[in-house]
Amino acid sequence: MSTSTPNRGLNGSTSVRAPAATTLSSLLAQANSLNEVDYDSELPQIRFGIDDIERMSESVAGRGKRGKNDRGEGFNLLSNLGVNTSQLTHNIAQLPSAEPSTRPRRRKHVPASSRLEPLGDIGPSYAMSDGDISAWGRNWHEMVILSGIEVQRQRTINSFQKQFQQRILQNWEVEKAKILQDELGVTDDELAGIVGSAGSSGLGSSNLGRSALGASTRRFPMAQSTLGKSTSNESREGGLVMHTKMVRYERVIGELNQKRLRKEPFELCQALEETVKGDSKYPTLPVSYHILAHLTHEPSLRDSSDYASSSAESDAAPVQERQYATAYLGDVRSNKATLLRGRLVMGGRRFLERDFERHVDETIAKNPKEAALGGIPGIRNKIRAFVDVTLRSKDTRDAYRPESVNGSLLWAQIYYLVRCGYIDEALSLVAENQQNISREDWSFPGCFKSALQSSERRLPKAQRDQLYNDFNAHIRNNPNVDQFKYALYKLVGRFELNRKTLKVATTTEDWMWVQLSLVRETKEADAPQEQYDLLDLGRLVSKYGNDKFDAGGTKPFAWFNLLLFTAQFERAIAYLHSKPQLRTDAVHFAVALSYYGLLRVPTKGEEVELLTTDESTDTSYLNFTRQIKQYIGPFFKVEPQNALQYAYLVALNSDVPGAVGQKQAQLALELVRDVVLASRSWSKLLGSVRSDGSKETGIIERDLRLLKLHDEQDYLRQVVLAAAEQSSLDSSLTDSIELYHLAGSYDKVVETVNRALGYSLGQASTAPLQSDAASIGLSGAFGGARDLHELAHKVHAVYEKDFAKRTRVSKLNWETLETLLQLKLALGQYAQDRFDLALETIKSTNLLPLNNDPGQISSYVQKFTELLSQPVIKNLDEVVLTTMRCLHALSQGLKQSPYGDHGRMVQLASYKHQSQCLIQFAGLMKYRLGEDVYRQLSSMSE
C-alpha cells in the first residue's frame, strides 16, 4: 500500500495536486532521489542540473528574441557533436582577464605598411556580452571595414593637400616671373638664370639678386652662344647684332605710327622684310615676312614681278589698318570669315607658286647645257627646259614614269605650269595638244578648263562624274601611270581626299601647295567626304606637330611658315617667341598681324601665359600686351620715345567688340603711363605749361589718335591725371604737383602742397626736395624751387595771379595753404632766433588766442580743430609749442633787461597773460595735442 501511492501519484490518475508553494521543492527532492537509484530504462535521463537550467534561462532572458543562427555555425557544430556548449561558454567567460581584448592575436607578423589597423574601441554601440563569440566577430569585422575607410580618407586628404600645394607653388612661380619681368625689368635670360639657380642658392645669393633690377638701363640683351661658353667678344658681337636689328625695327615702327596718324596705308610686312634682309644667322627670316605679305595681299605685290599677269587681281585697293579684324575675330562660320579664309588660301598658294618659279630659274641657271634655253624665253619654254633637266636621269623617269605626248613630256609640263600659277599658259598647252592626247583621257581637257576657269575650281556634276570614271578606269590602280597625270587628275577632280599626298610633291612647300589647292571654303554643295577647308588643314598640320618639320629645333621657320599658311597666327607667334634668339622677330610678326587685324587677344587681358587656348572651340589667343611690355622692358626708362611707339600698338586691338576692346585700350593707356612715370621726361613726353600760361605740346598729345583718344580732355583725364594720381600714391611730391598742374586739376595741386606742408611742420624750412627738383619740371611754372616752402610760394603766386585757376581751387584748400605758409614762415623765423617776428607771424594767422581776450578762446579752439581735422595736416603740436617758446624767450629777455620802466612791466604782463590763454586753450583741446605738449607748456609758463 505504501508503495502504490507514489505510483498512482506519478500516473496522475488518482492523486491529488500538490500545493503550488511546494512544487519546486518536491521536484528537487524527487530529482535527487532519482539520481541515487540505479539506472532504469523506463525513466527519462536528466542531463542538466538546476544550476545549468538557471544559467541557461538567464542567458536566454539576456539575449531576448534572437534568431536560431545567432550563436553562429561553430556553436551549432559543437552542439551537434555532443559537446556541452553551454558549459564551455561558461568556462570561457570565467577565464581571468585583466582587460578584454577586441583584436585576435595574429600568427604571422605582417608589416605595418601593408595592413589596415583596426580602429579599436569605437563606442558603446559595439558593446557585447561576455562569451558572445559571434558578436565579437561582427564587431571586429566592422572595425576592419571602418579602418579601411579611414585609411582611404587619409590618403585622399594627403593627395589633395599635395596637389593643392603643387598648384600653389606653380601659380606662385608664374606670378613671380610676371612680377620680375613687369615690375623689375628682368629679361627672359635673367629669369631663366633665376629659375636655374633656385634649387641651389636661390635669388638672394645670385648676382641678379644682389643687383638693382629696377635701375637696369641696358638697351638690349647680350646674345648667348649656342655652345654655352661664349667669350666676351662673341657676346658683345652678338649683342651688337641684336641692337642693330632692334634699331632698324624701331625705324619701321616709327614710320608705321606716322602713317597711322595720317591715315595712310603702309606695306608693313615688306618694310619689315627689308629690315632683316641679309640676316646671316637666319637667312629664311625674310621669307617668312614675304609669306605674310602675300597672305595679307599687300598692294605693291600686285604690281611687282612676283605676280604673274594672269594672277593679278582686279581690285588694286591698298590694304588698310585692321582691314581683316571684323572677319577674323568674328564668327568663323560667317560669310566674311569664309571669304577671308579664301583670301588667305589664295595668298599662300601664290607665294608658293612664285617661290617655285624662282626654283625653276635657279635650276635652269645651274644646268644651262642640259636646259638649252637660249634667247629670251617665255614661261612655257622655261618649264620645258626645267622638265628636261629634272627628268633626264633614268632614276627620276622610273620614279615618275612621265608619258611622252607628241615628242614632249606633256603632263609634266602642264603640272609645272599649274604649279607655278600660270593657268592660261597651261590651258593653251592642253588645247594645242588635245588631238594628241589618248582617247582614255578625252574628258580631261574639258574638265581641266572648267575647273581652272572657276573661282572655286569646282566642276559641274556631270563632268566630275565622267572624269571620276576615267580616273577609276585608267589611272587609280595603274602602276605605270604618269605621276604628273595622276596629280593633275586629283587636283582637278579633288578625288580621294583621304589620301592628299602626291608622289610628285617631294618637298614641304610642294605638299603645302597641294593642300591649299585642294582646300575649298564654300562646302555646302559638297558631300561630307569631299569637305576640306582651311580649318581642316590647320588641324591636320597641328596633328603632325613641330617635331616632324623642325627636328632638333634647327629649322624653326619651317614649322612657323606652316602655321602661317594655315592661319594659325597666334600659335605661330607663340612658337617663335619660345626661341630666345627670335623673340624680337616674334614681337614684330605679332605687330604686323595685329596691324592687319589677324591676331586674337585674350578676353580678360590679365593672363600670365603668352598663349591661351579655348578647348571647347579650339581657338587660340595671344597676350599681345604682355609681349610688348616684355619687349620694351629693358629700355623704356632710357629711351621712352621708342618705347611709346610700341605702347601705342597695344591700342590696335581696341576695336574688338565689347569689353575686350575697352580692356585693350585701357591696357595701352596704362603702359603709356608706366613709360611716362619711369622715364620722368615730362616736358618731352607730356609737354609743359609755363608760368605765363603758354603751353608746349608733348609727344603723347600729338599722338592721341594712336591711343584712340578723341580730344585733349580725354588725354588729360586718362593719361596725365591718371599718371599724377599714380605718382601721388608713390609719394612723389614734385611729380604729382606738376602732373596735376598740367592736367588742370589745380585744387589737387594745392591739396598736395598742403599735405606736404602739413607733414613738414617742425622741420627745417631749407630741407631740400627730391634730388631732381632743382631742375625745371614738366610745367615750367614751378621750376627752380629749392625747398618745399619755396615751391608752395610759387604755387600760391601762380594761382593768385591767374583768376581762372584761382577760382578752380576750393576756399578751404586755399585758406589752408595761406595759413600753412604763414606758419611755415613763423617756424623759420623762430629757427633764426627772431622770436618777435615769429610771434607776430603766428598772431597774423589768427589761429591761436594771442589777443588777450579769454572769452574768445572757445572760438579759437573750434577753428584750430577744423584745421587739424583736415587729412592734409598731421599735427599742429609744434605750432603751439613754438608759440609758447617765443613767449617764454621774450619774457626772459625782458626780465634780464637792466632797464625797469613801466612799458617793460606792461609787456611782461601781456606775455604772461598770453601764456595763460595759451595754456587754457591747450586745456580745451582734449586729446588733440600730444601728451608731452601740456608738460612743456606748464614748464615754460612758470
Side-chain angles (χ1 to χ4, degrees):
M1 293 295 293
S2 60
T3 59
S4 62
T5 302
N7 292 334
R8 286 193 300 267
L10 288 174
N11 294 330
S13 58
T14 59
S15 64
V16 181
R17 182 182 297 272
T22 60
T23 302
L24 291 177
S25 299
S26 60
L27 287 176
L28 179 60
Q30 293 177 17
N32 291 333
S33 63
L34 288 175
N35 289 332
E36 295 175 357
V37 300
D38 296 334
Y39 176 75
D40 188 356
S41 60
E42 295 181 358
L43 296 176
Q45 181 70 27
I46 299 177
R47 301 176 59 185
F48 300 103
I50 191 65
D51 296 332
D52 295 334
I53 296 174
E54 184 178 8
R55 186 168 55 252
M56 293 171 62
S57 299
E58 291 176 355
S59 177
V60 172
R63 287 194 297 268
K65 298 179 179 180
R66 294 195 297 181
K68 296 180 179 181
N69 296 327
D70 283 353
R71 292 178 177 268
E73 296 181 358
F75 187 91
N76 295 333
L77 178 62
L78 293 175
S79 298
N80 294 333
L81 294 176
V83 179
N84 191 347
T85 53
S86 298
Q87 185 64 34
L88 181 61
T89 301
H90 177 71
N91 294 336
I92 293 175
Q94 297 301 322
L95 290 175
S97 178
E99 187 174 314
S101 175
T102 57
R103 189 172 73 182
R105 182 176 301 173
R106 298 179 181 271
R107 296 181 179 179
K108 185 178 180 181
H109 174 71
V110 181
S113 59
S114 62
R115 69 170 184 263
L116 298 177
E117 295 293 342
L119 295 177
D121 189 6
I122 55 178
S125 60
Y126 286 87
M128 55 190 173
S129 61
D130 294 338
D132 195 344
I133 300 177
S134 59
W136 179 90
R138 288 194 305 272
N139 183 24
W140 171 252
H141 178 66
E142 292 175 0
M143 285 191 296
V144 170
I145 294 176
L146 292 177
S147 298
I149 295 174
E150 177 65 18
V151 170
Q152 188 62 35
R153 188 180 71 88
Q154 290 295 335
R155 289 176 180 174
T156 304
I157 292 175
N158 294 337
S159 177
F160 169 77
Q161 291 177 346
K162 183 178 180 180
Q163 293 180 4
F164 179 76
Q165 186 176 10
Q166 290 176 350
R167 181 64 60 86
I168 288 293
L169 292 176
Q170 179 182 2
N171 293 341
W172 161 240
E173 291 298 331
V174 174
E175 290 296 331
K176 182 173 69 175
K178 181 179 180 182
I179 292 172
L180 289 174
Q181 290 180 333
D182 295 351
E183 304 299 335
L184 302 179
V186 180
T187 62
D188 294 312
D189 296 332
E190 292 172 338
L191 185 62
I194 295 174
V195 176
S197 61
S200 56
S201 59
L203 177 59
S205 60
S206 65
N207 293 330
L208 184 60
R210 293 193 295 267
S211 65
L213 300 178
S216 176
T217 57
R218 186 181 54 221
R219 176 63 180 84
F220 55 90
M222 300 297 288
Q224 295 181 355
S225 172
T226 56
L227 299 178
K229 296 182 179 180
S230 60
T231 64
S232 59
N233 292 333
E234 290 174 347
S235 296
R236 189 178 301 109
E237 181 182 356
L240 291 175
V241 171
M242 181 64 69
H243 175 261
T244 303
K245 177 187 287 189
M246 294 175 70
V247 171
R248 291 176 179 174
Y249 272 139
E250 287 167 5
R251 294 173 183 169
V252 175
I253 298 302
E255 185 180 359
L256 167 66
N257 285 327
Q258 293 302 314
K259 293 279 188 178
R260 292 176 60 203
L261 285 174
R262 296 192 297 267
K263 295 185 177 180
E264 298 177 359
F266 184 58
E267 299 163 0
L268 179 57
C269 296
Q270 295 177 78
L272 295 173
E273 179 187 353
E274 292 294 327
T275 299
V276 297
K277 274 187 175 179
D279 192 314
S280 58
K281 190 171 184 180
Y282 298 101
T284 56
L285 175 58
V287 176
S288 297
Y289 279 117
H290 203 60
I291 292 173
L292 193 55
H294 276 80
L295 294 175
T296 56
H297 293 253
E298 287 191 349
S300 66
L301 290 176
R302 302 189 182 100
D303 303 325
S304 67
S305 58
D306 281 346
Y307 272 81
S309 59
S310 60
S311 302
E313 293 181 344
S314 58
D315 182 13
V319 182
Q320 302 294 332
E321 174 185 333
R322 304 288 292 176
Q323 177 167 326
Y324 305 123
T326 303
Y328 185 76
L329 303 178
D331 187 1
V332 296
R333 297 169 295 182
S334 64
N335 292 333
K336 290 183 178 179
T338 300
L339 292 175
L340 174 61
R341 289 194 295 271
R343 188 181 179 94
L344 294 174
V345 168
M346 184 183 301
R349 191 171 65 240
R350 285 175 177 172
F351 168 81
L352 293 171
E353 291 167 355
R354 302 285 69 74
D355 184 66
F356 189 78
E357 185 178 359
R358 284 189 289 271
H359 171 65
V360 169
D361 294 336
E362 293 172 358
T363 302
I364 294 175
K366 291 178 181 179
N367 302 274
K369 294 183 179 180
E370 293 82 355
L373 191 58
I376 303 178
I379 184 61
R380 286 175 56 176
N381 197 21
K382 286 200 300 184
I383 293 298
R384 189 270 314 158
F386 176 76
V387 169
D388 292 343
V389 171
T390 55
L391 298 180
R392 68 179 185 274
S393 67
K394 183 178 184 302
D395 293 338
T396 56
R397 288 181 177 267
D398 292 340
Y400 298 125
R401 300 184 182 276
E403 178 182 334
S404 178
V405 178
N406 196 22
S408 64
L409 302 180
L410 177 65
W411 297 106
Q413 294 181 27
I414 296 173
Y415 172 80
Y416 283 125
L417 282 172
V418 177
R419 177 67 180 85
C420 291
Y422 290 93
I423 305 302
D424 294 340
E425 287 74 6
L427 291 174
S428 299
L429 184 59
V430 171
E432 291 174 6
N433 293 273
Q434 186 171 359
Q435 300 299 325
N436 300 319
I437 295 177
S438 61
R439 297 189 58 182
E440 61 187 22
D441 299 315
W442 69 271
S443 62
F444 178 81
C447 294
F448 185 68
K449 182 177 181 180
S450 298
L452 295 187
Q453 290 181 345
S454 171
S455 59
E456 298 179 352
R457 296 193 174 183
R458 187 185 298 272
L459 284 174
K461 187 177 184 304
Q463 282 187 311
R464 187 179 186 280
D465 292 344
Q466 182 60 51
L467 187 67
Y468 188 62
N469 293 334
D470 293 343
F471 175 76
N472 284 333
H474 309 293
I475 296 176
R476 182 176 186 178
N477 298 317
N478 185 358
N480 297 320
V481 68
D482 186 336
Q483 291 298 317
F484 297 100
K485 181 196 294 186
Y486 177 84
L488 288 170
Y489 267 82
K490 291 201 66 171
L491 291 174
V492 172
R494 296 177 82 247
F495 303 140
E496 296 181 316
L497 289 181
N498 58 331
R499 298 171 58 188
K500 296 180 283 293
T501 57
L502 299 176
K503 194 172 183 179
V504 295
T506 56
T507 65
T508 301
E509 291 78 9
D510 291 336
W511 179 85
M512 179 53 65
W513 177 83
V514 171
Q515 306 308 308
L516 294 178
S517 299
L518 294 175
V519 161
R520 180 183 295 165
E521 290 300 321
T522 54
K523 52 186 180 180
E524 290 79 5
D526 295 332
Q529 66 273 13
E530 298 175 2
Q531 295 179 0
Y532 185 53
D533 59 7
L534 188 60
L535 298 178
D536 298 326
L537 176 57
R539 285 188 283 268
L540 177 62
V541 171
S542 299
K543 184 179 179 181
Y544 285 133
N546 62 296
D547 293 337
K548 183 177 179 63
F549 300 93
D550 182 18
T554 57
K555 298 179 179 179
F557 287 102
W559 176 247
F560 177 75
N561 293 341
L562 289 180
L563 294 176
L564 289 182
F565 282 127
T566 55
Q568 300 182 80
F569 302 123
E570 296 80 12
R571 294 175 180 173
I573 299 301
Y575 172 75
L576 202 63
H577 189 85
S578 66
K579 309 293 181 180
Q581 299 298 332
L582 294 173
R583 286 176 181 171
T584 298
D585 306 297
V587 169
H588 292 85
F589 273 108
V591 168
L593 289 168
S594 185
Y595 173 71
Y596 287 117
L598 295 173
L599 199 67
R600 296 186 182 91
V601 294
T603 56
K604 295 181 180 179
E606 301 293 343
E607 285 77 1
V608 177
E609 295 82 3
L610 181 66
L611 182 71
T612 54
T613 303
D614 186 353
E615 299 296 340
S616 60
T617 59
D618 195 25
T619 304
S620 298
Y621 302 89
L622 186 81
N623 197 334
F624 181 63
T625 304
R626 179 164 176 76
Q627 191 179 26
I628 292 294
K629 194 170 184 179
Q630 289 180 1
Y631 179 72
I632 66 176
F635 64 88
F636 75 101
K637 294 180 181 180
V638 293
E639 297 183 15
Q641 297 182 61
N642 292 328
L644 281 177
Q645 300 302 315
Y646 286 91
Y648 295 154
L649 300 174
V650 176
L652 282 169
N653 298 286
S654 62
D655 59 353
V656 180
V660 179
Q662 298 176 5
K663 182 63 177 179
Q664 293 298 313
Q666 187 64 31
L667 290 173
L669 293 174
E670 292 176 1
L671 188 53
V672 168
R673 289 197 295 267
D674 291 343
V675 173
V676 170
L677 291 174
S679 65
R680 300 174 60 81
S681 301
W682 311 127
S683 57
K684 185 180 296 184
L685 301 183
L686 297 177
S688 61
V689 179
R690 302 179 183 89
S691 57
D692 59 358
S694 60
K695 183 176 181 181
E696 181 180 353
T697 304
I699 294 176
I700 298 177
E701 191 171 357
R702 293 196 298 265
D703 299 337
L704 291 184
R705 282 181 292 178
L706 299 179
L707 291 171
K708 308 302 179 181
L709 298 177
H710 304 290
D711 52 29
E712 184 182 0
Q713 294 302 318
D714 283 345
Y715 161 68
L716 294 177
R717 183 179 68 258
Q718 299 194 45
V719 177
V720 183
L721 186 58
E725 292 175 350
Q726 183 61 45
S727 180
S728 178
L729 293 176
D730 296 338
S731 300
S732 179
L733 174 63
T734 56
D735 295 349
S736 58
I737 287 177
E738 295 177 353
L739 289 172
Y740 279 130
H741 180 73
L742 180 62
S745 183
Y746 307 120
D747 190 51
K748 293 290 292 185
V749 172
V750 176
E751 181 183 343
T752 304
V753 172
N754 289 346
R755 181 183 296 108
L757 281 176
Y759 277 94
S760 69
L761 292 178
Q763 299 177 0
S765 61
T766 57
L769 296 174
Q770 299 173 0
S771 60
D772 58 346
S775 61
I776 297 179
L778 167 131
S779 66
F782 311 136
R786 292 170 297 179
D787 55 46
L788 179 59
H789 189 209
E790 189 174 350
L791 176 62
H793 267 294
K794 284 183 174 291
V795 171
H796 184 271
V798 169
Y799 291 170
E800 192 175 33
K801 290 187 299 183
D802 194 328
F803 181 76
K805 294 182 176 64
R806 168 67 182 81
T807 55
R808 294 172 64 179
V809 179
S810 66
K811 180 181 178 180
L812 178 61
N813 284 338
W814 185 257
E815 292 178 351
T816 302
L817 175 61
E818 292 181 331
T819 301
L820 292 175
L821 282 174
Q822 290 295 99
L823 293 176
K824 193 68 176 176
L825 176 61
L827 294 174
Q829 292 170 345
Y830 171 79
Q832 299 173 3
D833 296 334
R834 301 299 305 273
F835 305 121
D836 53 343
L837 291 179
L839 185 62
E840 289 300 322
T841 303
I842 293 175
K843 186 183 296 185
S844 67
T845 62
N846 200 26
L847 192 63
L848 297 175
L850 302 176
N851 57 359
N852 295 327
D853 186 1
Q856 297 182 0
I857 293 180
S858 59
S859 62
Y860 283 98
V861 170
Q862 182 179 0
K863 183 177 181 180
F864 194 90
T865 303
E866 291 177 355
L867 181 63
L868 191 61
S869 299
Q870 293 189 51
V872 298
I873 307 299
K874 181 65 176 177
N875 63 72
L876 293 175
D877 294 5
E878 189 64 27
V879 176
V880 178
L881 289 175
T882 301
T883 305
M884 181 60 81
R885 293 189 188 109
C886 290
L887 291 173
H888 179 71
L890 292 173
S891 298
Q892 293 298 320
L894 289 176
K895 289 179 181 180
Q896 296 174 4
S897 175
Y899 304 101
D901 54 3
H902 177 71
R904 187 185 69 167
M905 300 304 294
V906 172
Q907 190 64 37
L908 279 173
S910 176
Y911 288 153
K912 184 176 181 180
H913 185 69
Q914 289 178 359
S915 299
Q916 292 175 350
C917 290
L918 195 59
I919 292 176
Q920 185 179 358
F921 168 83
L924 295 176
M925 294 290 297
K926 295 180 180 179
Y927 309 111
R928 286 286 187 175
L929 301 177
E931 297 179 357
D932 194 53
V933 173
Y934 300 100
R935 183 187 60 80
Q936 295 187 49
L937 291 177
S938 299
S939 64
M940 286 185 289
S941 64
E942 296 177 354

